[in-house]
Amino acid sequence: TMAPFMKLIEANRMDQRQPRYAAFTDVLHYCDHSANPVGRIVLALYDCDDAERGKLSDAICTALQLANFWQDVKGDYAERGRIYIPQEDMKRFGVREENIAEGRADESWRALMKFEADRAAALFDEGTPLLKLVPRRLANEVRLFIKGGRAVLDGLRRIEYDVFRHRPTVPKWKKLLWAAQLGLSTLA
């Protein structure tokens, strides 16, 4: 089916015309077009794209997209003029666009980002059962993505959500170590 590919095209259009998102449901709608189709395509390649696995894959892909948004707040704003943090959440936590423009990671900002990071972590938890429902090779690849996304969220916590001074990343050596561990475990 062409549906996932059409959604990816629409996500590109959304990026060009929508620099802010009023509600979390709007961000989820964007993720349904930008991230989730990738998981659906991969499931189809492994001939395991059904409703249950699709829903679990969507949770993981959305979590990955959110983790990426939260680590890239500074660049998305400065380079692309975008804010993916829902406006309703910013208002709820007393954070204004000026916080982002000025790179101000005060207590309100930290509370907001913790809230958003916790949402992403919950989505990883929700999607993790997928690992038992797909072939081992795919499960190992998905496990790497989950580990990477969770590592970004852990990095956010370590820097106390100050994404203006530090961009949490996963070092290449750590990714290679994880891949090697998974490779060795599949040989056993």
Side-chain angles (χ1 to χ4, degrees):
T1 177
M2 293 299 295
F5 298 99
M6 299 308 291
K7 282 188 170 188
L8 289 170
I9 292 168
E10 181 58 24
N12 185 276
R13 289 184 182 130
M14 293 165 100
D15 271 338
Q16 294 176 33
R17 66 178 184 253
Q18 187 169 355
R20 306 286 184 278
Y21 294 84
F24 188 60
T25 55
D26 299 322
V27 175
L28 292 177
H29 178 74
Y30 175 80
C31 292
D32 184 54
H33 288 74
S34 65
N36 299 358
V38 176
R40 295 297 183 119
I41 291 166
V42 172
L43 287 176
L45 291 172
Y46 279 86
D47 197 29
C48 53
D49 186 19
D50 56 47
E52 180 184 8
R53 289 181 276 201
K55 183 178 180 217
L56 297 171
S57 171
D58 289 351
I60 293 167
C61 291
T62 294
L64 286 166
Q65 181 76 79
L66 294 176
N68 179 258
F69 286 158
W70 310 154
Q71 84 181 135
D72 286 337
V73 170
K74 179 181 175 182
D76 283 336
Y77 183 78
E79 298 164 23
R80 291 170 281 288
R82 294 189 195 125
I83 298 176
Y84 291 100
I85 302 166
Q87 300 293 295
E88 68 182 7
D89 295 347
M90 290 175 62
K91 184 177 181 180
R92 175 178 165 202
F93 284 90
V95 172
R96 297 183 330 194
E97 194 167 318
E98 290 77 28
N99 288 74
I100 297 170
E102 297 168 6
R104 193 172 358 131
D106 58 16
E107 289 309 307
S108 296
W109 173 260
R110 292 177 203 284
L112 169 64
M113 292 308 294
K114 179 187 182 313
F115 175 76
E116 301 298 354
D118 288 348
R119 276 180 159 169
L123 284 165
F124 280 125
D125 292 343
E126 182 182 321
T128 297
L130 178 66
L131 299 173
K132 294 180 180 167
L133 301 175
V134 296
R136 179 184 287 185
R137 180 174 176 208
L138 178 55
N140 283 341
E141 291 171 14
V142 172
R143 191 173 282 111
L144 283 174
F145 281 107
I146 292 171
K147 276 181 162 278
R150 287 187 185 276
V152 167
L153 297 178
D154 290 343
L156 286 168
R157 290 181 196 98
R158 273 194 307 281
I159 63 169
E160 298 179 330
Y161 307 101
D162 188 354
V163 293
F164 305 114
R165 284 163 195 66
H166 310 283
R167 183 182 182 270
T169 58
V170 180
K172 188 173 185 173
W173 68 266
K174 190 174 274 191
K175 292 178 193 175
L176 291 171
L177 175 65
W178 293 340
Q181 289 170 336
L182 287 172
L184 293 174
S185 71
T186 59
L187 298 176

